[in-house]
mmCIF file of all heavy atoms in Angstrom:
data_model
loop_
_atom_site.group_PDB
_atom_site.id
_atom_site.type_symbol
_atom_site.label_atom_id
_atom_site.label_comp_id
_atom_site.label_asym_id
_atom_site.label_seq_id
_atom_site.Cartn_x
_atom_site.Cartn_y
_atom_site.Cartn_z
ATOM 1 N N LYS A 101 24.451 -65.785 88.026
ATOM 2 C CA LYS A 101 23.095 -65.235 88.075
ATOM 3 C C LYS A 101 22.234 -65.883 89.156
ATOM 4 O O LYS A 101 21.106 -65.450 89.389
ATOM 5 C CB LYS A 101 22.419 -65.426 86.715
ATOM 6 C CG LYS A 101 23.169 -64.753 85.583
ATOM 7 C CD LYS A 101 22.592 -65.129 84.240
ATOM 8 C CE LYS A 101 23.465 -64.561 83.127
ATOM 9 N NZ LYS A 101 23.045 -64.991 81.816
ATOM 10 N N ALA A 102 22.742 -66.928 89.795
ATOM 11 C CA ALA A 102 21.964 -67.663 90.796
ATOM 12 C C ALA A 102 21.898 -66.885 92.109
ATOM 13 O O ALA A 102 22.898 -66.349 92.575
ATOM 14 C CB ALA A 102 22.578 -69.041 91.037
ATOM 15 N N TRP A 103 20.726 -66.878 92.696
ATOM 16 C CA TRP A 103 20.555 -66.250 94.005
ATOM 17 C C TRP A 103 21.089 -67.206 95.060
ATOM 18 O O TRP A 103 20.879 -68.414 94.987
ATOM 19 C CB TRP A 103 19.074 -65.964 94.255
ATOM 20 C CG TRP A 103 18.845 -65.227 95.520
ATOM 21 C CD1 TRP A 103 18.903 -63.887 95.691
ATOM 22 C CD2 TRP A 103 18.531 -65.778 96.796
ATOM 23 N NE1 TRP A 103 18.650 -63.571 96.999
ATOM 24 C CE2 TRP A 103 18.412 -64.718 97.704
ATOM 25 C CE3 TRP A 103 18.347 -67.079 97.264
ATOM 26 C CZ2 TRP A 103 18.120 -64.902 99.043
ATOM 27 C CZ3 TRP A 103 18.057 -67.276 98.594
ATOM 28 C CH2 TRP A 103 17.945 -66.195 99.466
ATOM 29 N N GLY A 104 21.801 -66.698 96.042
ATOM 30 C CA GLY A 104 22.322 -67.540 97.115
ATOM 31 C C GLY A 104 23.548 -68.334 96.725
ATOM 32 O O GLY A 104 23.837 -69.378 97.311
ATOM 33 N N LEU A 105 24.292 -67.839 95.758
ATOM 34 C CA LEU A 105 25.484 -68.521 95.258
ATOM 35 C C LEU A 105 26.505 -68.734 96.378
ATOM 36 O O LEU A 105 26.757 -67.840 97.177
ATOM 37 C CB LEU A 105 26.103 -67.683 94.135
ATOM 38 C CG LEU A 105 27.271 -68.293 93.380
ATOM 39 C CD1 LEU A 105 26.835 -69.503 92.587
ATOM 40 C CD2 LEU A 105 27.882 -67.241 92.471
ATOM 41 N N GLU A 106 27.076 -69.930 96.431
ATOM 42 C CA GLU A 106 28.141 -70.260 97.381
ATOM 43 C C GLU A 106 29.320 -70.834 96.609
ATOM 44 O O GLU A 106 29.176 -71.199 95.435
ATOM 45 C CB GLU A 106 27.643 -71.275 98.416
ATOM 46 C CG GLU A 106 26.540 -70.727 99.313
ATOM 47 C CD GLU A 106 26.182 -71.667 100.446
ATOM 48 O OE1 GLU A 106 26.985 -72.580 100.755
ATOM 49 O OE2 GLU A 106 25.101 -71.482 101.020
ATOM 50 N N SER A 107 30.452 -70.956 97.264
ATOM 51 C CA SER A 107 31.634 -71.465 96.564
ATOM 52 C C SER A 107 31.453 -72.918 96.105
ATOM 53 O O SER A 107 32.113 -73.362 95.170
ATOM 54 C CB SER A 107 32.879 -71.336 97.438
ATOM 55 O OG SER A 107 32.716 -72.059 98.632
ATOM 56 N N GLU A 108 30.549 -73.663 96.738
ATOM 57 C CA GLU A 108 30.276 -75.050 96.366
ATOM 58 C C GLU A 108 29.013 -75.190 95.524
ATOM 59 O O GLU A 108 28.423 -76.261 95.441
ATOM 60 C CB GLU A 108 30.169 -75.931 97.614
ATOM 61 C CG GLU A 108 31.467 -76.095 98.378
ATOM 62 C CD GLU A 108 31.747 -74.910 99.311
ATOM 63 O OE1 GLU A 108 30.798 -74.226 99.717
ATOM 64 O OE2 GLU A 108 32.922 -74.670 99.617
ATOM 65 N N SER A 109 28.572 -74.102 94.900
ATOM 66 C CA SER A 109 27.381 -74.139 94.057
ATOM 67 C C SER A 109 27.696 -74.773 92.710
ATOM 68 O O SER A 109 28.792 -74.596 92.164
ATOM 69 C CB SER A 109 26.849 -72.725 93.823
ATOM 70 O OG SER A 109 26.263 -72.205 94.982
ATOM 71 N N ARG A 110 26.724 -75.501 92.186
ATOM 72 C CA ARG A 110 26.809 -76.081 90.847
ATOM 73 C C ARG A 110 25.437 -76.031 90.199
ATOM 74 O O ARG A 110 24.419 -75.937 90.884
ATOM 75 C CB ARG A 110 27.246 -77.553 90.903
ATOM 76 C CG ARG A 110 28.664 -77.816 91.333
ATOM 77 C CD ARG A 110 29.719 -77.274 90.398
ATOM 78 N NE ARG A 110 29.614 -77.708 89.012
ATOM 79 C CZ ARG A 110 30.291 -78.706 88.475
ATOM 80 N NH1 ARG A 110 31.153 -79.397 89.201
ATOM 81 N NH2 ARG A 110 30.140 -79.012 87.200
ATOM 82 N N LEU A 111 25.405 -76.106 88.887
ATOM 83 C CA LEU A 111 24.159 -76.350 88.176
ATOM 84 C C LEU A 111 23.999 -77.864 88.149
ATOM 85 O O LEU A 111 24.899 -78.577 87.691
ATOM 86 C CB LEU A 111 24.218 -75.797 86.756
ATOM 87 C CG LEU A 111 24.389 -74.287 86.619
ATOM 88 C CD1 LEU A 111 24.452 -73.899 85.140
ATOM 89 C CD2 LEU A 111 23.263 -73.547 87.317
ATOM 90 N N SER A 112 22.875 -78.347 88.648
ATOM 91 C CA SER A 112 22.717 -79.803 88.742
ATOM 92 C C SER A 112 22.680 -80.471 87.375
ATOM 93 O O SER A 112 22.997 -81.656 87.253
ATOM 94 C CB SER A 112 21.476 -80.158 89.562
ATOM 95 O OG SER A 112 20.298 -79.705 88.948
#
Side-chain angles (χ1 to χ4, degrees):
K101 301 172 186 174
W103 185 85
L105 186 66
E106 295 188 18
S107 59
E108 293 82 25
S109 288
R110 291 296 305 263
L111 297 179
S112 63

